[in-house]
Amino acid sequence: MVKRVNLNHAAGNPVDKRVLKGMLPYFQEFYGNPSSVHFAGRQAAKAVANARMQIVKLLGADLKDKIVFTSGATEANNLALIGFAYRNRRKGNHIITSEVEHLSILNPLKFLVKQGFEVTRVPVDKHGVLKLEALKEAITDQTILLSIQHANNEVGTIQPIQEISDIAQDAKIPLHLDAVASTGQVPINLPDVGASLMTLSSNDLYGPRGVGALVIRRGTSIQPILLGGGQEMGLRSGSENVSGIVGMGIAAEIAADELAANSRHLTGLRDRLINGIIGKMEHTYLNGHPTDRLPNNANIRFSFIEGEAITLHLSFQGFLVATSSACTSRTLEPSHVLLSMGVDEAEAHGALQLTLGRDNTENHIDWFIEVLPPIIGRLREMSPLYPPS
Ligand code: PMP
């Protein structure tokens, strides 16, 4: 049987065993609805409140900050952008973001443009770092919100978030941070980063899918986008996914406790992987920032060949890898992140996104480094673009 090695954790993490164990009673034993006043309802409400506390602790947040549980990060991003824009419309109609955001940011912003808002997408440099001067220039007296990702899920670049936050605070513009890719990978302290809104995803913390959260700091007002029974402090109607929320809470607690050890483990594997490829094969380059990058991310581009072909060959050998964004790799469009970083279209097609997880070992990396070069060599032999003239 072919061994299976997952180097595509950005697309999905296995649920941590401890998380699953903690969730199971909430499917049968404690199935109450937190809105019910009876004993079972109170039990469920207590479990949800406990999960909120676990998230508050992970972020160093405050008990006065609201943690609104959603169906995932996409919904949390939609709630942050649309909910904030609608509630604060009278203050202005301009929102700033970057060119390299996830589609769950870029597409709600396209929707808002149709509703009369204006959006500026600030460019990034060749490493994927936001151009801070361009950010400053984009601010107008109509700007009501800045929405920036803490780290890029695709190329791993970590943004200079303190500097971005300082710019936002000087201009008195609230900051929304999409922290999906970075939570559990690098420390985040909400008061320090000065974000008014923050998006989190459960599965990126090794919790279940179908749960996420929007953190709303005290003093920030948003309007709900899902209307109904008024759950989640009136900000997200719908009976709570109690078992999922319990799972996300446990995952957050484990992520906080084990962050330093996990980060060390992943950084070691990531550097072994990068050093085993870059400089060992010609015409092979690292995408994203060389040092300010997520511990679990190596995005590598191989000139003259297609990422899809590499992915398929690696899959036959048991490796799960992805081409561009894990969430959009079904399209054959080149990655908007790589294009924005100035990578040309043909080269962008040759990029592999390798995302490591807690389950990976040095053996996995060594095996990958052994299997990869002959695949790249064979594909280049078949490529009409190779050797370069
Ligand atoms: N933001 C970022 C940075 C992401 O990487 C993703 C995808 N994992 C999302 C938002 C959306 O997450 P989901 O598809 O789980 O809703």
Side-chain angles (χ1 to χ4, degrees), residues 26 32-49:
Y26 290 88
N33 184 324
S35 299
S36 307
V37 290
H38 53 60
F39 176 70
R42 286 206 312 276
Q43 223 166 24
K46 218 167 128 190
V48 171

Short mmCIF file of all heavy atoms in Angstrom, two decimals, residues 26 32-49:
data_model
loop_
_atom_site.label_atom_id
_atom_site.label_comp_id
_atom_site.label_asym_id
_atom_site.label_seq_id
_atom_site.Cartn_x
_atom_site.Cartn_y
_atom_site.Cartn_z
N TYR A 26 -21.47 16.01 23.47
CA TYR A 26 -22.42 17.05 23.05
C TYR A 26 -23.26 16.66 21.84
O TYR A 26 -24.11 17.41 21.39
CB TYR A 26 -21.67 18.38 22.82
CG TYR A 26 -21.20 18.94 24.14
CD1 TYR A 26 -19.96 18.56 24.67
CD2 TYR A 26 -22.03 19.73 24.91
CE1 TYR A 26 -19.56 19.00 25.91
CE2 TYR A 26 -21.64 20.18 26.15
CZ TYR A 26 -20.41 19.81 26.64
OH TYR A 26 -20.04 20.24 27.89
N GLY A 32 -28.70 19.61 24.58
CA GLY A 32 -29.60 20.74 24.81
C GLY A 32 -29.31 21.92 23.89
O GLY A 32 -28.23 22.05 23.32
N ASN A 33 -30.34 22.77 23.76
CA ASN A 33 -30.21 24.00 22.97
C ASN A 33 -29.94 25.15 23.95
O ASN A 33 -30.72 25.34 24.88
CB ASN A 33 -31.52 24.22 22.20
CG ASN A 33 -31.44 25.41 21.27
OD1 ASN A 33 -30.81 26.42 21.58
ND2 ASN A 33 -32.09 25.30 20.13
N PRO A 34 -28.87 25.89 23.75
CA PRO A 34 -28.51 26.94 24.72
C PRO A 34 -29.64 27.96 24.97
O PRO A 34 -29.65 28.64 25.98
CB PRO A 34 -27.31 27.64 24.08
CG PRO A 34 -26.76 26.68 23.10
CD PRO A 34 -27.89 25.82 22.64
N SER A 35 -30.60 28.05 24.04
CA SER A 35 -31.69 29.02 24.24
C SER A 35 -32.74 28.52 25.21
O SER A 35 -33.58 29.30 25.68
CB SER A 35 -32.38 29.34 22.90
OG SER A 35 -31.44 29.89 22.02
N SER A 36 -32.75 27.19 25.49
CA SER A 36 -33.78 26.65 26.40
C SER A 36 -33.46 27.03 27.83
O SER A 36 -32.30 27.02 28.24
CB SER A 36 -33.83 25.12 26.30
OG SER A 36 -33.97 24.72 24.97
N VAL A 37 -34.53 27.32 28.60
CA VAL A 37 -34.30 27.73 29.99
C VAL A 37 -34.11 26.54 30.92
O VAL A 37 -33.67 26.69 32.04
CB VAL A 37 -35.43 28.63 30.52
CG1 VAL A 37 -35.40 29.98 29.84
CG2 VAL A 37 -36.78 27.96 30.34
N HIS A 38 -34.47 25.34 30.44
CA HIS A 38 -34.38 24.19 31.34
C HIS A 38 -32.94 23.74 31.53
O HIS A 38 -32.00 24.28 30.92
CB HIS A 38 -35.28 23.03 30.86
CG HIS A 38 -35.04 22.63 29.45
ND1 HIS A 38 -33.84 22.17 28.99
CD2 HIS A 38 -35.87 22.63 28.38
CE1 HIS A 38 -33.92 21.89 27.71
NE2 HIS A 38 -35.16 22.17 27.32
N PHE A 39 -32.81 22.71 32.37
CA PHE A 39 -31.49 22.23 32.77
C PHE A 39 -30.57 21.91 31.58
O PHE A 39 -29.42 22.35 31.53
CB PHE A 39 -31.70 21.00 33.67
CG PHE A 39 -30.44 20.35 34.07
CD1 PHE A 39 -29.58 20.97 34.97
CD2 PHE A 39 -30.06 19.11 33.54
CE1 PHE A 39 -28.39 20.38 35.34
CE2 PHE A 39 -28.86 18.52 33.90
CZ PHE A 39 -28.03 19.15 34.81
N ALA A 40 -31.12 21.19 30.61
CA ALA A 40 -30.27 20.78 29.47
C ALA A 40 -29.81 21.99 28.67
O ALA A 40 -28.68 22.05 28.17
CB ALA A 40 -31.05 19.82 28.56
N GLY A 41 -30.69 22.97 28.55
CA GLY A 41 -30.34 24.21 27.84
C GLY A 41 -29.23 24.95 28.56
O GLY A 41 -28.27 25.44 27.93
N ARG A 42 -29.35 25.01 29.89
CA ARG A 42 -28.33 25.74 30.66
C ARG A 42 -26.96 25.06 30.54
O ARG A 42 -25.93 25.71 30.45
CB ARG A 42 -28.74 25.86 32.13
CG ARG A 42 -29.88 26.88 32.32
CD ARG A 42 -29.88 27.47 33.72
NE ARG A 42 -29.78 26.48 34.78
CZ ARG A 42 -30.81 25.80 35.27
NH1 ARG A 42 -32.02 26.00 34.77
NH2 ARG A 42 -30.64 24.92 36.23
N GLN A 43 -27.02 23.72 30.51
CA GLN A 43 -25.77 22.95 30.36
C GLN A 43 -25.08 23.31 29.02
O GLN A 43 -23.87 23.55 28.97
CB GLN A 43 -26.16 21.48 30.29
CG GLN A 43 -25.30 20.56 31.08
CD GLN A 43 -26.02 19.21 31.20
OE1 GLN A 43 -26.86 18.85 30.36
NE2 GLN A 43 -25.66 18.47 32.21
N ALA A 44 -25.88 23.38 27.97
CA ALA A 44 -25.33 23.70 26.64
C ALA A 44 -24.82 25.15 26.62
O ALA A 44 -23.74 25.44 26.07
CB ALA A 44 -26.40 23.51 25.56
N ALA A 45 -25.59 26.05 27.24
CA ALA A 45 -25.17 27.47 27.25
C ALA A 45 -23.85 27.61 28.00
O ALA A 45 -22.98 28.40 27.61
CB ALA A 45 -26.26 28.32 27.91
N LYS A 46 -23.71 26.80 29.06
CA LYS A 46 -22.46 26.86 29.84
C LYS A 46 -21.27 26.39 28.99
O LYS A 46 -20.18 26.96 29.04
CB LYS A 46 -22.61 25.95 31.06
CG LYS A 46 -21.98 26.50 32.31
CD LYS A 46 -22.42 25.73 33.52
CE LYS A 46 -21.18 25.31 34.28
NZ LYS A 46 -21.47 24.35 35.33
N ALA A 47 -21.51 25.35 28.19
CA ALA A 47 -20.43 24.82 27.34
C ALA A 47 -20.01 25.85 26.30
O ALA A 47 -18.82 26.03 26.02
CB ALA A 47 -20.91 23.53 26.65
N VAL A 48 -20.99 26.57 25.74
CA VAL A 48 -20.68 27.61 24.75
C VAL A 48 -19.91 28.75 25.44
O VAL A 48 -18.92 29.26 24.90
CB VAL A 48 -21.98 28.12 24.07
CG1 VAL A 48 -21.68 29.34 23.19
CG2 VAL A 48 -22.61 27.01 23.23
N ALA A 49 -20.35 29.13 26.64
CA ALA A 49 -19.66 30.21 27.37
C ALA A 49 -18.22 29.80 27.69
O ALA A 49 -17.30 30.61 27.59
CB ALA A 49 -20.42 30.53 28.65
#
